[in-house]
Amino acid sequence: MMMMRGRCFPSPPPPPPPHLRKVKSTDSSVSATCVRSDPGIPGLIKTDINRTFAHLSFFQRGCLLHDQLLELLCVYAKYRPDVGYVQGMSFVAGHLLLYIEDVYMAFVALANLLNMPLFSALFQPKGCRHAYTDHYELHQKLLEAQLPQISEHFRNEGVAGDMYLLEWLITLFSRRLRLDTAGRLWDMYLTHGEIFVHKAAIAIVKILQRPLLASTFAGILKTLKEAPMSIAPEALVLAAEGIRIRSNDLDEIRKTMLKEGSRGHFVNEW
């Protein structure tokens, strides 16, 4: 995760703003107070925390990082009330907490990461669906160009990109990949930008193409949900590097990023 430190973490870190200095403690009462301040989100956050990296048992109630994750998500919801809390955000925040001990620094990283154009599109209100359907359309174009047999098979079986791609993107693949593989992907994303996210999505499908071609609708979705966990970091990067994106598709990525823009200010601008 060293590449993340160059992009997400300001150095030296900025001082916490006044409303965050009061939530530096990891005491559960502080987190509870933060949750109670917005009655619309506590149940969803608590439910999501209990199933965040459940196989690791780090974030369940009574475990090591439960209160820190609760605090982090609540503070972000207060900091960005226009975004609030979106399901899947707990995996992004949880992934950061696995690498960063200080909750405030994890907040800085989370706020800056979610300020990037990819997440700006994914966290648009429901009435602005075009913001993320652009990503589906781009994924479909890349799939047709890079893996035409898979693309045709998906179309024949009724499998659309929005059935699996949104979860991959909104969690930055951290829910479905091994931790070391997800960490490597994050490094590449922060180094090369949004283009690598789309290459990684195609790379995962490419690696899994044999079982995908042998499956029907339900089996395809199960494979896309479960099989990525077996992909090693080296295999993902190698497959992604082998994907050549045409200039017109690259232009589409640039247009999408330009249209989405950025949201608000980065934390280190305080």
Side-chain angles (χ1 to χ4, degrees):
M1 299 295 287
M2 290 305 295
M3 294 305 302
M4 285 178 52
R5 298 182 181 275
R7 290 289 297 276
C8 278
F9 303 176
S11 180
H19 69 285
L20 288 177
R21 292 171 190 158
K22 296 180 181 180
V23 294
K24 288 282 286 182
S25 170
T26 58
D27 185 86
S28 60
S29 64
V30 176
S31 299
T33 300
C34 182
V35 169
R36 285 196 299 271
S37 66
D38 187 348
I41 62 171
L44 185 57
I45 289 180
K46 289 182 177 180
T47 298
D48 277 4
I49 287 177
N50 287 328
R51 59 192 182 197
T52 299
F53 300 118
H55 62 290
L56 297 178
S57 299
F58 284 163
F59 299 106
Q60 285 66 49
R61 182 177 295 276
C63 294
L64 182 63
L65 297 175
H66 176 275
D67 289 349
Q68 287 92 326
L69 183 55
L70 177 62
E71 180 181 55
L72 178 56
L73 293 171
C74 290
V75 170
Y76 182 80
K78 287 173 66 68
Y79 166 67
R80 291 297 302 274
D82 57 319
V83 175
Y85 174 76
V86 179
Q87 280 190 291
M89 199 180 282
S90 62
F91 282 89
V92 177
H95 192 92
L96 289 170
L97 282 174
L98 292 174
Y99 291 89
I100 310 170
E101 293 185 9
D102 184 89
V103 179
Y104 172 68
M105 288 306 301
F107 164 77
V108 171
L110 179 67
N112 287 342
L113 184 63
L114 299 188
N115 236 359
M116 297 176 77
L118 173 66
F119 290 101
S120 295
L122 298 176
F123 296 154
Q124 289 282 344
K126 290 184 178 179
C128 301
R129 292 183 183 274
H130 66 84
Y132 50 83
T133 54
D134 286 344
H135 288 283
Y136 298 153
E137 292 172 2
L138 178 58
H139 177 73
Q140 183 59 39
K141 288 179 63 177
L142 294 175
L143 201 62
E144 291 172 358
Q146 301 290 330
L147 302 169
Q149 190 177 6
I150 284 283
S151 177
E152 182 180 2
H153 183 58
F154 279 12
R155 185 165 49 251
N156 292 338
E157 293 297 328
V159 175
D162 59 359
M163 296 177 180
Y164 60 91
L165 186 64
L166 180 60
E167 184 194 67
W168 287 1
L169 297 181
I170 214 165
T171 64
L172 204 51
F173 298 88
S174 58
R175 183 173 188 179
R176 297 303 175 193
L177 292 177
R178 289 167 26 180
L179 286 178
D180 56 343
T181 306
R184 185 71 177 275
L185 186 152
W186 282 38
D187 287 347
M188 300 296 286
Y189 166 54
L190 294 170
T191 303
H192 301 289
E194 189 168 321
I195 187 173
F196 189 81
V197 172
H198 287 285
K199 292 178 72 170
I202 299 299
I204 291 172
V205 177
K206 182 178 181 180
I207 292 170
L208 302 176
Q209 62 181 323
R210 185 170 296 177
L212 289 172
L213 287 171
S215 302
T216 56
F217 179 83
I220 291 171
L221 294 183
K222 183 178 181 181
T223 299
L224 292 171
K225 180 179 180 180
E226 298 176 357
M229 189 64 72
S230 64
I231 298 175
E234 298 78 11
L236 179 63
V237 172
L238 184 63
E241 288 179 344
I243 294 170
R244 298 291 180 262
I245 295 184
R246 297 175 302 185
S247 58
N248 58 330
D249 291 328
L250 185 57
D251 288 340
E252 285 297 317
I253 293 177
R254 289 169 178 160
K255 288 178 183 177
T256 299
M257 293 179 67
L258 183 63
K259 180 168 57 178
E260 291 160 5
S262 183
R263 300 171 65 98
H265 299 286
F266 287 98
V267 174
N268 59 2
E269 293 178 0
W270 286 339

